[in-house]
Amino acid sequence: MARILIIGGSGFIGRHIAAALLRAGHRVETPARGELDLIKMSENAISNRLSGAEVVGNCAGLVRGTAMEAVHAHGTEKLL
């Protein structure tokens, strides 16, 4: 089975995806925001943190607040 890292894996959507992947037998990692922060971390630091993952899912998101654009747009750009 695959080693899967889900950014936002403890959030509203990510926790359901993580649970389904675990039930299917995958190794799932759901780092906390303090361990993997798409806004505060550099692209190099993000890349290092993703090292070893076979699949990366981005479920990070906000539904309100001033950081929405930072998370949904800038954070995703850094991830890619």
Side-chain angles (χ1 to χ4, degrees):
M1 293 291 153
R3 179 175 173 235
I4 302 170
L5 185 144
I6 301 176
I7 301 165
S10 63
F12 181 72
I13 295 170
R15 70 176 180 244
H16 297 289
I17 294 170
L21 291 167
L22 284 168
R23 283 192 302 273
H26 296 284
R27 293 173 290 155
V28 178
E29 184 179 357
T30 58
R33 186 178 303 150
E35 300 173 69
L36 180 53
D37 189 319
L38 296 178
I39 303 307
K40 294 180 181 177
M41 294 173 72
S42 70
E43 290 177 18
N44 191 48
I46 292 169
S47 178
N48 288 338
R49 182 61 182 87
L50 300 178
S51 179
E54 297 171 77
V55 177
V56 176
N58 182 16
C59 296
L62 296 172
V63 294
R64 63 184 165 276
T66 58
M68 283 181 61
E69 183 176 357
V71 170
H72 294 275
H74 305 299
T76 300
E77 287 174 357
K78 285 169 59 174
L79 178 61
L80 294 175

